[in-house]
Amino acid sequence: MVNKIDEAQRRRELAEAVWRIILRDGLPAVSVRHVADEARLATGSVRHFFPSQSELLNFAMTALAESVAARVREAAQIPDVRERVFAMLLELLPVRDRTHDEFAAYLEFLERSRIDASLSAVAQESIRAVRELIVTILTDLRELGMLRGGVDIETESVRLHAFIDGLTLQLVVAPTLNSRDDARRALERWLHDLEEPRDGMRG
């Protein structure tokens, strides 16, 4: 058990070394040797866990997606429905230093996935997971009577997904365009507009 825990921790450390290199020098700078230097390990130690650069990049990208998914699962434990939905979707936006760095690295992985088949499957699965999460949230709101009438879940899920992706791109690539608070307020307003009016009134 101890060895398994140590192995998981070491893999995580190597993934984080990849992320740091990407943020500092870009994804093309990632190599087994550079990751070994960044993690202060021998190249052989890195190859023990990841025999090829492709496997290393695949794991690092998967770990990024799982990091976001883990925070979404944690937010899903919030008792209040409105707070829970807001918190879950907020985890899909780079509104904190840590998540900003993660999403910045993730965007580089997405770009690489266009020409790297080993990353393409990870990219597609992570995007699909976000869409499924949004559909689930909207469906649950409808079942709770909290989604306004006339909202088509399939269409709205496309719109909300695009809205979140657009904000993410702006926050990472053009951070002076919108502040993180602007993004939070925009998401809050979007969710408010989806709500069933209370007592026939809209705010």
Side-chain angles (χ1 to χ4, degrees):
M1 179 62 71
V2 173
N3 288 338
K4 289 183 179 179
I5 293 175
D6 289 345
E7 180 175 334
Q9 178 62 28
R10 180 53 52 84
R11 285 174 175 269
R12 177 72 182 188
E13 290 170 356
L14 291 173
E16 292 186 351
V18 171
W19 303 345
R20 290 195 298 273
I21 293 172
I22 290 174
L23 289 172
R24 185 177 63 242
D25 304 315
L27 194 146
V30 175
S31 67
V32 171
R33 181 174 63 82
H34 288 159
V35 171
D37 290 343
E38 181 71 24
R40 297 184 179 179
L41 295 171
T43 301
S45 296
V46 178
R47 291 196 183 280
H48 170 73
F49 294 102
F50 304 104
S52 69
Q53 182 185 30
S54 177
E55 290 175 90
L56 176 60
L57 291 178
N58 187 289
F59 179 82
M61 184 178 185
T62 300
L64 267 179
E66 175 53 32
S67 181
V68 176
R71 291 195 298 270
V72 170
R73 290 193 294 270
E74 183 178 352
Q77 304 306 310
I78 297 174
D80 182 83
V81 175
R82 289 181 179 82
E83 290 181 13
R84 178 167 69 244
V85 168
F86 179 71
M88 291 170 70
L89 293 177
L90 194 64
E91 291 300 341
L92 304 178
L93 292 171
V95 293
R96 298 188 299 276
D97 289 345
R98 170 71 180 189
T99 55
H100 182 278
D101 288 349
E102 287 182 354
F103 279 104
Y106 185 70
L107 287 179
E108 294 225 20
F109 278 119
L110 286 182
E111 172 63 18
R112 176 68 170 264
S113 73
R114 294 188 310 105
I115 57 174
D116 188 331
S118 67
L119 297 180
S120 179
V122 180
Q124 292 181 44
E125 178 56 33
S126 63
I127 293 170
R128 186 180 302 111
V130 171
R131 178 63 58 82
E132 291 175 352
L133 171 66
I134 292 172
V135 169
T136 297
I137 286 174
L138 295 178
T139 301
D140 289 347
L141 288 175
R142 168 153 291 166
E143 291 177 353
L144 292 169
M146 298 174 65
L147 192 67
R148 62 179 170 79
V151 172
D152 179 80
I153 290 178
E154 183 175 351
T155 300
E156 191 61 34
S157 67
V158 174
R159 294 178 68 243
L160 182 52
H161 194 172
F163 168 74
I164 289 171
D165 282 353
L167 272 180
T168 295
L169 185 65
Q170 291 173 9
L171 288 168
V172 172
V173 178
T176 60
L177 184 62
N178 302 307
S179 70
R180 295 175 182 180
D181 284 340
D182 288 336
R184 291 187 182 93
R185 284 191 293 268
L187 176 60
E188 190 173 33
R189 182 67 201 190
W190 188 291
L191 294 176
H192 176 270
D193 289 344
L194 286 176
E195 284 189 15
E196 180 67 27
R198 303 179 198 177
D199 301 323
M201 300 294 291
R202 294 219 32 104

mmCIF file of all heavy atoms in Angstrom, residues 175-197:
data_model
loop_
_atom_site.group_PDB
_atom_site.id
_atom_site.type_symbol
_atom_site.label_atom_id
_atom_site.label_comp_id
_atom_site.label_asym_id
_atom_site.label_seq_id
_atom_site.Cartn_x
_atom_site.Cartn_y
_atom_site.Cartn_z
ATOM 1 N N PRO A 175 -6.839 38.847 -19.829
ATOM 2 C CA PRO A 175 -7.286 39.038 -18.444
ATOM 3 C C PRO A 175 -7.714 40.454 -18.088
ATOM 4 O O PRO A 175 -8.396 40.652 -17.082
ATOM 5 C CB PRO A 175 -6.067 38.607 -17.620
ATOM 6 C CG PRO A 175 -4.902 38.769 -18.550
ATOM 7 C CD PRO A 175 -5.426 38.434 -19.909
ATOM 8 N N THR A 176 -7.333 41.443 -18.894
ATOM 9 C CA THR A 176 -7.756 42.815 -18.596
ATOM 10 C C THR A 176 -9.143 43.121 -19.149
ATOM 11 O O THR A 176 -9.714 44.170 -18.848
ATOM 12 C CB THR A 176 -6.747 43.831 -19.163
ATOM 13 O OG1 THR A 176 -6.665 43.678 -20.583
ATOM 14 C CG2 THR A 176 -5.369 43.616 -18.551
ATOM 15 N N LEU A 177 -9.676 42.232 -19.963
ATOM 16 C CA LEU A 177 -10.996 42.465 -20.555
ATOM 17 C C LEU A 177 -12.100 42.335 -19.518
ATOM 18 O O LEU A 177 -13.012 43.164 -19.448
ATOM 19 C CB LEU A 177 -11.234 41.474 -21.703
ATOM 20 C CG LEU A 177 -12.528 41.642 -22.497
ATOM 21 C CD1 LEU A 177 -12.567 42.997 -23.188
ATOM 22 C CD2 LEU A 177 -12.664 40.513 -23.523
ATOM 23 N N ASN A 178 -12.033 41.265 -18.735
ATOM 24 C CA ASN A 178 -12.989 41.042 -17.651
ATOM 25 C C ASN A 178 -12.221 40.682 -16.388
ATOM 26 O O ASN A 178 -11.244 39.940 -16.449
ATOM 27 C CB ASN A 178 -13.936 39.872 -17.970
ATOM 28 C CG ASN A 178 -14.717 40.064 -19.249
ATOM 29 O OD1 ASN A 178 -15.367 41.085 -19.428
ATOM 30 N ND2 ASN A 178 -14.641 39.094 -20.143
ATOM 31 N N SER A 179 -12.685 41.190 -15.257
ATOM 32 C CA SER A 179 -12.074 40.779 -14.000
ATOM 33 C C SER A 179 -12.671 39.447 -13.575
ATOM 34 O O SER A 179 -13.694 38.999 -14.110
ATOM 35 C CB SER A 179 -12.326 41.828 -12.911
ATOM 36 O OG SER A 179 -13.697 41.822 -12.539
ATOM 37 N N ARG A 180 -12.058 38.814 -12.603
ATOM 38 C CA ARG A 180 -12.604 37.558 -12.084
ATOM 39 C C ARG A 180 -13.964 37.800 -11.432
ATOM 40 O O ARG A 180 -14.856 36.950 -11.532
ATOM 41 C CB ARG A 180 -11.620 36.931 -11.093
ATOM 42 C CG ARG A 180 -10.317 36.506 -11.753
ATOM 43 C CD ARG A 180 -9.299 36.009 -10.754
ATOM 44 N NE ARG A 180 -8.053 35.663 -11.425
ATOM 45 C CZ ARG A 180 -6.984 35.195 -10.795
ATOM 46 N NH1 ARG A 180 -7.017 35.021 -9.472
ATOM 47 N NH2 ARG A 180 -5.885 34.895 -11.466
ATOM 48 N N ASP A 181 -14.113 38.949 -10.794
ATOM 49 C CA ASP A 181 -15.416 39.278 -10.208
ATOM 50 C C ASP A 181 -16.463 39.485 -11.297
ATOM 51 O O ASP A 181 -17.630 39.131 -11.124
ATOM 52 C CB ASP A 181 -15.312 40.531 -9.335
ATOM 53 C CG ASP A 181 -14.650 40.241 -7.991
ATOM 54 O OD1 ASP A 181 -14.628 39.068 -7.584
ATOM 55 O OD2 ASP A 181 -14.167 41.201 -7.359
ATOM 56 N N ASP A 182 -16.049 40.077 -12.423
ATOM 57 C CA ASP A 182 -16.965 40.230 -13.561
ATOM 58 C C ASP A 182 -17.478 38.861 -14.000
ATOM 59 O O ASP A 182 -18.668 38.683 -14.297
ATOM 60 C CB ASP A 182 -16.262 40.894 -14.754
ATOM 61 C CG ASP A 182 -15.986 42.374 -14.526
ATOM 62 O OD1 ASP A 182 -16.684 42.993 -13.709
ATOM 63 O OD2 ASP A 182 -15.056 42.891 -15.176
ATOM 64 N N ALA A 183 -16.567 37.896 -14.068
ATOM 65 C CA ALA A 183 -16.939 36.548 -14.501
ATOM 66 C C ALA A 183 -17.892 35.905 -13.508
ATOM 67 O O ALA A 183 -18.877 35.258 -13.907
ATOM 68 C CB ALA A 183 -15.688 35.687 -14.668
ATOM 69 N N ARG A 184 -17.625 36.077 -12.241
ATOM 70 C CA ARG A 184 -18.525 35.523 -11.214
ATOM 71 C C ARG A 184 -19.922 36.124 -11.334
ATOM 72 O O ARG A 184 -20.923 35.405 -11.289
ATOM 73 C CB ARG A 184 -17.958 35.795 -9.814
ATOM 74 C CG ARG A 184 -16.701 35.026 -9.459
ATOM 75 C CD ARG A 184 -16.338 35.256 -7.992
ATOM 76 N NE ARG A 184 -15.122 34.577 -7.603
ATOM 77 C CZ ARG A 184 -13.910 35.130 -7.632
ATOM 78 N NH1 ARG A 184 -13.772 36.397 -8.024
ATOM 79 N NH2 ARG A 184 -12.852 34.441 -7.261
ATOM 80 N N ARG A 185 -19.964 37.442 -11.493
ATOM 81 C CA ARG A 185 -21.271 38.106 -11.601
ATOM 82 C C ARG A 185 -22.008 37.688 -12.869
ATOM 83 O O ARG A 185 -23.232 37.527 -12.861
ATOM 84 C CB ARG A 185 -21.082 39.631 -11.566
ATOM 85 C CG ARG A 185 -20.785 40.177 -10.169
ATOM 86 C CD ARG A 185 -20.884 41.701 -10.153
ATOM 87 N NE ARG A 185 -19.832 42.311 -10.957
ATOM 88 C CZ ARG A 185 -18.652 42.691 -10.465
ATOM 89 N NH1 ARG A 185 -18.377 42.504 -9.193
ATOM 90 N NH2 ARG A 185 -17.747 43.268 -11.260
ATOM 91 N N ALA A 186 -21.263 37.515 -13.964
ATOM 92 C CA ALA A 186 -21.892 37.113 -15.219
ATOM 93 C C ALA A 186 -22.503 35.721 -15.091
ATOM 94 O O ALA A 186 -23.624 35.468 -15.567
ATOM 95 C CB ALA A 186 -20.872 37.140 -16.354
ATOM 96 N N LEU A 187 -21.788 34.805 -14.449
ATOM 97 C CA LEU A 187 -22.317 33.456 -14.245
ATOM 98 C C LEU A 187 -23.536 33.494 -13.322
ATOM 99 O O LEU A 187 -24.545 32.825 -13.580
ATOM 100 C CB LEU A 187 -21.239 32.559 -13.644
ATOM 101 C CG LEU A 187 -21.687 31.133 -13.292
ATOM 102 C CD1 LEU A 187 -22.195 30.392 -14.531
ATOM 103 C CD2 LEU A 187 -20.537 30.363 -12.633
ATOM 104 N N GLU A 188 -23.439 34.289 -12.269
ATOM 105 C CA GLU A 188 -24.556 34.403 -11.335
ATOM 106 C C GLU A 188 -25.798 34.931 -12.046
ATOM 107 O O GLU A 188 -26.921 34.440 -11.836
ATOM 108 C CB GLU A 188 -24.157 35.331 -10.181
ATOM 109 C CG GLU A 188 -25.134 35.348 -9.029
ATOM 110 C CD GLU A 188 -24.589 36.140 -7.855
ATOM 111 O OE1 GLU A 188 -23.850 37.133 -8.078
ATOM 112 O OE2 GLU A 188 -24.894 35.774 -6.695
ATOM 113 N N ARG A 189 -25.619 35.929 -12.915
ATOM 114 C CA ARG A 189 -26.748 36.508 -13.639
ATOM 115 C C ARG A 189 -27.324 35.498 -14.632
ATOM 116 O O ARG A 189 -28.557 35.404 -14.790
ATOM 117 C CB ARG A 189 -26.304 37.767 -14.382
ATOM 118 C CG ARG A 189 -27.453 38.454 -15.125
ATOM 119 C CD ARG A 189 -28.468 39.024 -14.145
ATOM 120 N NE ARG A 189 -29.763 39.234 -14.777
ATOM 121 C CZ ARG A 189 -30.755 39.892 -14.207
ATOM 122 N NH1 ARG A 189 -30.616 40.394 -12.986
ATOM 123 N NH2 ARG A 189 -31.903 40.044 -14.831
ATOM 124 N N TRP A 190 -26.466 34.747 -15.286
ATOM 125 C CA TRP A 190 -26.948 33.745 -16.241
ATOM 126 C C TRP A 190 -27.848 32.738 -15.527
ATOM 127 O O TRP A 190 -28.936 32.407 -16.014
ATOM 128 C CB TRP A 190 -25.760 33.025 -16.874
ATOM 129 C CG TRP A 190 -26.129 32.110 -18.016
ATOM 130 C CD1 TRP A 190 -26.819 30.927 -17.938
ATOM 131 C CD2 TRP A 190 -25.850 32.308 -19.403
ATOM 132 N NE1 TRP A 190 -26.967 30.366 -19.172
ATOM 133 C CE2 TRP A 190 -26.389 31.189 -20.099
ATOM 134 C CE3 TRP A 190 -25.186 33.298 -20.132
ATOM 135 C CZ2 TRP A 190 -26.271 31.053 -21.484
ATOM 136 C CZ3 TRP A 190 -25.077 33.153 -21.504
ATOM 137 C CH2 TRP A 190 -25.618 32.054 -22.162
ATOM 138 N N LEU A 191 -27.398 32.268 -14.372
ATOM 139 C CA LEU A 191 -28.186 31.292 -13.620
ATOM 140 C C LEU A 191 -29.481 31.913 -13.103
ATOM 141 O O LEU A 191 -30.537 31.262 -13.093
ATOM 142 C CB LEU A 191 -27.357 30.747 -12.456
ATOM 143 C CG LEU A 191 -26.135 29.908 -12.861
ATOM 144 C CD1 LEU A 191 -25.331 29.503 -11.632
ATOM 145 C CD2 LEU A 191 -26.561 28.677 -13.652
ATOM 146 N N HIS A 192 -29.414 33.175 -12.711
ATOM 147 C CA HIS A 192 -30.612 33.866 -12.242
ATOM 148 C C HIS A 192 -31.652 33.931 -13.351
ATOM 149 O O HIS A 192 -32.853 33.725 -13.128
ATOM 150 C CB HIS A 192 -30.247 35.276 -11.777
ATOM 151 C CG HIS A 192 -31.434 36.106 -11.370
ATOM 152 N ND1 HIS A 192 -32.121 36.903 -12.261
ATOM 153 C CD2 HIS A 192 -32.059 36.238 -10.178
ATOM 154 C CE1 HIS A 192 -33.113 37.500 -11.634
ATOM 155 N NE2 HIS A 192 -33.099 37.125 -10.369
ATOM 156 N N ASP A 193 -31.189 34.198 -14.570
ATOM 157 C CA ASP A 193 -32.111 34.309 -15.701
ATOM 158 C C ASP A 193 -32.727 32.969 -16.091
ATOM 159 O O ASP A 193 -33.738 32.929 -16.806
ATOM 160 C CB ASP A 193 -31.397 34.911 -16.913
ATOM 161 C CG ASP A 193 -31.096 36.393 -16.722
ATOM 162 O OD1 ASP A 193 -31.685 37.008 -15.815
ATOM 163 O OD2 ASP A 193 -30.260 36.929 -17.482
ATOM 164 N N LEU A 194 -32.140 31.891 -15.645
ATOM 165 C CA LEU A 194 -32.687 30.563 -15.925
ATOM 166 C C LEU A 194 -33.750 30.133 -14.915
ATOM 167 O O LEU A 194 -34.490 29.190 -15.163
ATOM 168 C CB LEU A 194 -31.563 29.508 -15.916
ATOM 169 C CG LEU A 194 -30.614 29.489 -17.105
ATOM 170 C CD1 LEU A 194 -29.513 28.457 -16.866
ATOM 171 C CD2 LEU A 194 -31.357 29.161 -18.389
ATOM 172 N N GLU A 195 -33.805 30.847 -13.817
ATOM 173 C CA GLU A 195 -34.702 30.433 -12.739
ATOM 174 C C GLU A 195 -36.164 30.674 -13.069
ATOM 175 O O GLU A 195 -36.524 31.634 -13.769
ATOM 176 C CB GLU A 195 -34.373 31.183 -11.445
ATOM 177 C CG GLU A 195 -33.131 30.680 -10.746
ATOM 178 C CD GLU A 195 -32.991 31.299 -9.376
ATOM 179 O OE1 GLU A 195 -33.983 31.877 -8.866
ATOM 180 O OE2 GLU A 195 -31.891 31.213 -8.808
ATOM 181 N N GLU A 196 -36.991 29.809 -12.525
ATOM 182 C CA GLU A 196 -38.431 30.019 -12.590
ATOM 183 C C GLU A 196 -38.763 31.250 -11.764
ATOM 184 O O GLU A 196 -38.342 31.370 -10.613
ATOM 185 C CB GLU A 196 -39.167 28.801 -12.015
ATOM 186 C CG GLU A 196 -40.675 28.910 -12.044
ATOM 187 C CD GLU A 196 -41.232 28.907 -13.465
ATOM 188 O OE1 GLU A 196 -40.577 28.338 -14.365
ATOM 189 O OE2 GLU A 196 -42.307 29.494 -13.666
ATOM 190 N N PRO A 197 -39.498 32.236 -12.331
ATOM 191 C CA PRO A 197 -39.850 33.439 -11.570
ATOM 192 C C PRO A 197 -40.613 33.079 -10.300
ATOM 193 O O PRO A 197 -41.454 32.172 -10.307
ATOM 194 C CB PRO A 197 -40.735 34.229 -12.540
ATOM 195 C CG PRO A 197 -40.364 33.728 -13.879
ATOM 196 C CD PRO A 197 -40.029 32.266 -13.700
#
